Amino acid sequence: MSVRVRFAPSPTGDLHVGGARTALFNWLMARKLGGTFILRVEDTDGARNTAEASAGIIKGLRWLGLDWDEGPEVGGGCGPYFQSQRKAIYDAYLSKLKASGRVYTEENGAVRFKFSRTAITVHDLVCGDVVFAATEEPDMTVRRPDGSYIFHFVNVVDDIEMGMTHVIRGEDHLSNTWKHVDLFHAFGVTPPTYAHIPLILNPDGSKMSKRDEGSAIEHSYMNAGYLADAVFNYLCMLGWTPKAENEKLSRSELVALFDPLAIHKSNAKFDLKKSLWFNAQYLRELSADELFKHAMPFLKAKSLSWSDEAIAAAAVYSVREKVSLLSELPDWVHYFFREDYSFEADVITKLKGKPENATLLGVVATHLSAANEWSEQGVLDGVEAAAKELNIKPGAMMPLLRFALSGQSRGPGVTTIAHLIGRDATLGRIARTLREVLT
Ligand code: GLU
């Protein structure tokens, strides 16, 4: 039997890190076993569910690269994939329970399901055998007086109708799973295999909520300058330790290694530093072109523009090891893109600190204007020639030139900066420094 799993979000807000990880584990399961991954939108709560939230969840899943085989936008044989459009199916299933005498109607019109009132054991892949004693709760309302159905009912009907073999979902649903199993039995259907995955907590152990750092996929990751591959990899580590030497693993490695039985029973803790570490590793591995493609929206957001894309890409690439997030890039490269960069306060202090700095910069400018070839080597030769004339070490010239060319005291190699901005800009910036800072 081929595996069928689903992600069944209730669209009440943005895609949350916990939901994204649930989707991810289901996706890994389907991809590993050549099964089917379904997206089903559980939007029966008209008051709380919005089309915007559904669209946001879909956007987040797409960004993470979690493609579904059936569901919104792609269709499939078990549609529609929005619960709000499946009322006729729920009515038909309610008739089945009526026929078998498992429901009764109250005076107010609510329809209640008669619990079996037997002990129910859930064989959970993560939590083991969970035994629920025969319930003493009142019978469960499955249809409200207004005709709408409750979550437990539609969730089970759809898991039957969509042929789910496994249900991987958050541990917060475990305590109600006996109700689901009771319904499956009432329909005469074998329940799917459950895997309830641990919650994600804040570093301080509190439950992660929508407002916590790192909680919303779009806000905390997409817009903050994470790469989807890094987030994908990091989310896998929240509650699962793959059997591998490293935690940094590609999508195909994660698919091959995935094992629901290896998911932790204990809750996972969100770790911002670790998520940044993952992102930094992934950023460093991109080619200059790929990095630039990802960086572009962040540069544009800071009004940086360029005429030569290859040079702009090389500038960004030159600082790839300095940052953990794409959003940090503009601060590191802005001076490649504009002549009106400002000088950091400590750079001004350092430049003004020694009266001979003006002379040193003047001599470097002379040698650089005479350089035969404008390459990193050509720039280095020019700086060395200037140092020789001044009888100082070339290394002593470099910070000074960096200050002049970038206004900053940190950055990529000075010869890289000079080479990329070109000879005219290099000489222009030295002249500007002499004029505006060293007067
Ligand atoms: N709509 C439920 C939720 O978002 C899904 C429950 C399930 O996966 O069975 O929590």
Side-chain angles (χ1 to χ4, degrees):
M1 186 172 58
S2 125
V3 160
R4 288 176 67 84
V5 288
R6 83 301 192 277
F7 176 49
S10 302
T12 52
D14 299 332
L15 181 62
H16 188 260
V17 76
R21 190 200 46 172
T22 299
L24 180 55
F25 283 179
N26 278 288
W27 184 90
L28 287 172
M29 178 92 172
R31 295 296 170 258
K32 173 164 182 151
L33 299 173
T36 305
F37 176 54
I38 295 156
L39 175 61
R40 176 174 86 220
V41 181
E42 301 210 319
D43 60 345
T44 50
D45 184 347
R48 294 177 67 222
N49 300 150
T50 66
E52 262 172 314
S54 297
I57 289 168
I58 286 174
K59 186 172 165 193
L61 294 173
R62 290 249 183 257
W63 181 75
L64 278 169
L66 299 177
D67 55 331
W68 49 98
D69 309 303
E70 293 178 23
E73 296 177 356
V74 305
C78 300
Y81 292 90
F82 288 88
Q83 286 188 330
S84 57
Q85 298 165 18
R86 297 173 64 80
K87 189 156 184 308
I89 297 169
Y90 306 138
D91 290 342
Y93 270 74
L94 189 69
S95 302
K96 290 189 192 185
L97 290 185
K98 275 185 184 152
S100 61
R102 286 299 298 271
V103 291
Y104 56 91
T105 307
E106 300 267 27
E107 264 173 35
N108 65 4
V111 180
R112 288 185 172 232
F113 171 65
K114 282 188 220 168
F115 284 135
S116 65
R117 303 197 182 275
T118 54
I120 290 172
T121 302
V122 175
H123 305 286
D124 194 281
L125 291 181
V126 176
C127 307
D129 280 359
V130 185
V131 182
F132 294 91
T135 187
E136 289 173 10
E137 277 186 30
D139 287 336
M140 166 169 73
T141 298
V142 288
R143 204 186 71 168
R144 301 183 190 90
D146 68 2
S148 65
Y149 290 94
I150 69 138
F151 161 71
H152 302 299
F153 182 80
V154 296
N155 185 263
V156 166
V157 168
D158 283 348
D159 282 345
I160 294 172
E161 271 291 287
M162 297 182 179
M164 294 305 143
T165 59
H166 296 74
V167 167
I168 304 174
R169 63 185 175 190
E171 202 185 45
D172 45 334
H173 290 288
L174 178 61
S175 62
N176 282 318
T177 301
W178 66 272
K179 294 178 185 169
H180 300 182
V181 170
D182 213 359
L183 276 168
F184 273 101
H185 289 157
F187 285 117
V189 176
T190 308
T193 302
Y194 290 97
H196 285 91
I197 59 180
L199 302 181
I200 302 173
L201 304 178
N202 287 313
D204 67 1
S206 62
K207 194 164 177 255
M208 204 173 199
S209 81
K210 288 183 178 164
R211 281 166 301 280
D212 287 319
E213 186 161 40
S215 71
I217 295 298
E218 185 164 356
H219 171 77
S220 313
Y221 301 95
M222 283 169 79
N223 298 346
Y226 279 84
L227 296 171
D229 285 344
V231 178
F232 185 102
N233 191 163
Y234 172 67
L235 290 181
C236 285
M237 302 303 130
L238 289 172
W240 172 41
T241 311
K243 287 202 179 65
E245 291 196 354
N246 293 313
E247 289 198 306
K248 186 173 170 294
L249 295 159
S250 69
R251 283 174 199 254
S252 55
E253 287 169 321
L254 288 160
V255 166
L257 288 163
F258 186 68
D259 176 6
L261 295 170
I263 296 174
H264 305 171
K265 288 186 180 44
S266 54
N267 289 330
K269 265 192 191 161
F270 181 76
D271 182 342
L272 183 68
K273 272 209 194 110
K274 193 166 164 180
S275 70
L276 290 170
W277 178 85
F278 271 101
N279 206 51
Q281 304 306 308
Y282 277 87
L283 280 176
R284 281 166 205 196
E285 282 178 3
L286 297 178
S287 68
D289 283 352
E290 286 166 336
L291 178 63
F292 190 59
K293 192 182 80 199
H294 288 290
M296 260 194 278
F298 293 90
L299 301 176
K300 285 181 180 160
K302 295 283 176 192
S303 306
L304 298 175
S305 58
W306 48 89
S307 47
D308 187 321
E309 194 158 308
I311 290 180
V316 171
Y317 194 63
S318 74
V319 300
R320 70 190 181 285
E321 303 215 340
K322 314 276 185 196
V323 302
S324 304
L325 294 172
L326 294 162
S327 54
E328 294 166 22
L329 285 168
D331 264 0
W332 282 91
V333 298
H334 68 93
Y335 55 82
F336 281 103
F337 301 90
R338 50 163 38 128
E339 295 306 315
D340 62 347
Y341 55 92
S342 51
F343 290 83
E344 286 173 355
D346 72 317
V347 165
I348 295 179
T349 312
K350 283 176 189 157
L351 280 169
K352 287 186 187 270
K354 288 193 192 133
E356 66 268 31
N357 280 347
T359 316
L360 302 193
L361 279 179
V363 174
V364 174
T366 309
H367 283 275
L368 290 180
S369 66
N372 289 333
E373 181 202 330
W374 198 256
S375 59
E376 293 205 20
Q377 188 58 48
V379 173
L380 186 62
D381 292 345
V383 174
E384 282 176 349
K388 198 169 175 202
E389 182 183 327
L390 292 157
N391 206 16
I392 58 170
K393 289 200 175 105
M397 300 288 307
M398 290 301 184
L400 203 54
L401 197 53
R402 170 189 302 289
F403 298 158
L405 300 186
S406 70
Q408 300 198 356
S409 52
R410 47 166 211 183
V414 180
T415 53
T416 305
I417 302 175
H419 172 229
L420 289 177
I421 61 175
R423 190 195 310 251
D424 288 350
T426 297
L427 297 175
R429 289 176 185 204
I430 293 173
R432 176 183 167 212
T433 307
L434 290 170
R435 199 170 61 238
E436 292 178 17
V437 184
L438 290 172
T439 43

